[in-house]
Amino acid sequence: MALSSDTEKCKRISDDLLSSQEHLNKVQEIAHLGSWSWDILNNTLLWSDEAYRIFGLSPTGSFQTYEAFIKSVHREDRAKLKEAVKSALADPDYRYELEHRVVRPDGSERVVMERGKVEWDSFGKPISMMGTVHDITNIRSVEDQLKLVQIVLNSSDEGVFISDSQNKIISVNQSLCKLYGYDSAEMLGQRPSIFKSDRQDKEFYTELWQTLVDKDEWTGEMWNRRKNGETFPVKTTIQAVRNKFGEVSNFVCIYKDLSDIKQRDEELVYSTTHDVLTSLPNRQLFLDRLRQAIRQAHREDSRVSVSVLNIDLFKKINDSLGHTHGDELLKMIAQRLKNSVRQEDTVSRLGGDEFSIIHPNAGNVEAVALMMQRIFDGFAKPFYLAGKEFYITLSTGITLYPEDGMDPDKMLRNADLAMNRAKDVGRSNFQFFTSTLDDRATNRLTIENDMRLGLKRGEFFLNYQPKVDLSTGQITGMESLSRWKPSGKDQVSPVEFIPIAEETGLIVPLGDFILRDACFQTKNWLDINPNLRVAVNLSASQFRQKNLLMRLDSALRDSGLPPEKLEIEITESMLVDNIDEVINILCKIKERGITIAMDDFGTGYSSLSVLKRFPLDTLKIDQSFVRDLTVDSDDAQIVTAIISMAKSLHLKVVAEGVETKEQLMFLTERECDMMQGYYFSKPLVEDDFSALLTQKKSLLDIG
Ligand code: C2E
Ligand code: MG
Ligand code: MG
């Protein structure tokens, strides 16, 4: 019984042992942790089943040798391993612990962590070593991947953090530190609300979280706060990460700094809405603001005034001072305008020398006039530029909403008309828009259309008025004067249609027609009177045309008229701007043999010294002086002075508008060279002029 119980006990113990071995094997398999023991004296190595599996072999329970083991270690790791074993066998304090790779018979690799301990005999000689081999391949590959992720994150310009399911930050990248100015330690463990600014309201965040719950992702722009308190715009992408059970385990949040982009956007918007020179709102922004002001006035039943302010004679200042100083002056004017308006008014630069003011809550006409008077008073003080004093005056037109226009375009257009009116009545004043101005503008529009048609239909033609030599009474030339007879309407005066043609650009084709017609016709008349010279009036805008010389050349070439048979009449107003350029063109005209006459002399401001610089041949005394010559002693003196002055400058003199014998006699006494006027002949149509030429008699005998 006792025996039997001992046997049973033994069996139980051996069963227990067996089961504990099996148990150990199982546990090792689960942990991927094998064990080994090395009998150093006999050089035998015993591996546990899991150690075999880690090395890619099936468990045999048999012994291995140390050398066989070394062979399964990765070639590059062998030296390291041998060194560690050597150290362990030499030094009882050495801690045998190393990571190396194992190459399995099928060529695949595992990463293992070896740990071991040496047993020593009483003489201090190593007799055995036992240890563990832990397959850490999976851990390492996760770690490697994490390292990779961290490298990627750190190389990104965008700030990134990862938070856990409780939304506490567990990982950050370097850009996030830079973006917010926190150290990573300061952010880890915190909630992302440390970045929050108060620029967004509660609803914003509620919606954000709702989207995250619904879609696992939210993207949008928001304003966040840096550690130093500064708020800035960020593009934010938040991604919820779910584990295999479908629960949110992490959030990944990516911030892209938009400060630069926003600033660039703002700069772009600024530059497209503001004038570069003066930094005032430009026309586009002006129209926007005006639209707003009109809307507000509509709601509040109030008035808005718009004024267009044009700097008088700015071109002259610009030409004489140079553009740099001109620009400087514009800036000073802009500043002065800004200083003279209320906070709520908008001063803008519409372009060139034109400014505009929007004046909301303008009150009545009297209030607007007072406001404008204040601005004008502000301009009573001089501007200092290039060491000189300048007085600037403004021509200004004013419109009121709702009376003068219901929309920005109309208001601006009408203010422009009123401004032109201010110029017409002598500059340096302001004019309110009136409907008569509008009528005039509409009238102009109709005339312009009719003129275009008229040019196509041949409704324009020339009259010729003879110029008579006072010593011989013979016709030495004629002035061509254009006429327009629209079909079914009265003849229109050139005084009316020439300025419109100039404004609309129609003067180019019209002027060309006149020039060519006069040349062709005169060429024919040379057969009757070879001394004839035809005078053609040139308008200011024709004179500014780049290809004026080419047009003159081709008219002469095509008609065959010799250049010395052509005279052009210019007026003093053409001589004020760009004097050097004007002289240059006149010289080129003169080089060709064409002669140059100054028309309407005495009405402008040309001084003698200025006149001397121009290559003129003839002065035409304006008819306003001739008219009252015999009754007004002032006019008589002026005419006398002009004649003697012309003679001293070696210029020929023509008196215009001679109507009476008395005028003729006065002029003859003063030795005026030529005359033109109703006394001799009115402007005649071609056929009548031909008839006059054919008579060949002295026109002095008429009276
Ligand atoms: P203007 O060049 O000074 O022409 C002289 C104007 O005086 C002409 O008026 C002519 O008919 C008028 N006239 C001539 N003799 C007398 C007179 O004894 N008494 C009075 N009261 N008037 C006289 P018109 O033809 O009406 O031309 C007016 C202005 O229109 C011209 O003044 C000239 O500046 C412009 N004009 C006429 N034709 C043309 C043209 O073909 N081209 C350009 N650019 N301008 C032209
Ligand atoms: Mg003329
Ligand atoms: Mg004239």
Side-chain angles (χ1 to χ4, degrees), residues 161-175:
F161 73 75
I162 300 169
S163 61
D164 61 15
S165 57
Q166 301 306 305
N167 204 18
K168 285 207 173 136
I169 299 174
I170 54 169
S171 173
V172 298
N173 72 347
Q174 283 156 6
S175 293

Side-chain angles (χ1 to χ4, degrees), residues 474 527-530 691-698:
Q474 292 302 316
D527 295 338
I528 312 174
N529 180 347
L692 186 70
L693 282 181
T694 326
Q695 289 173 15
K696 288 195 178 165
K697 61 176 187 184
S698 167

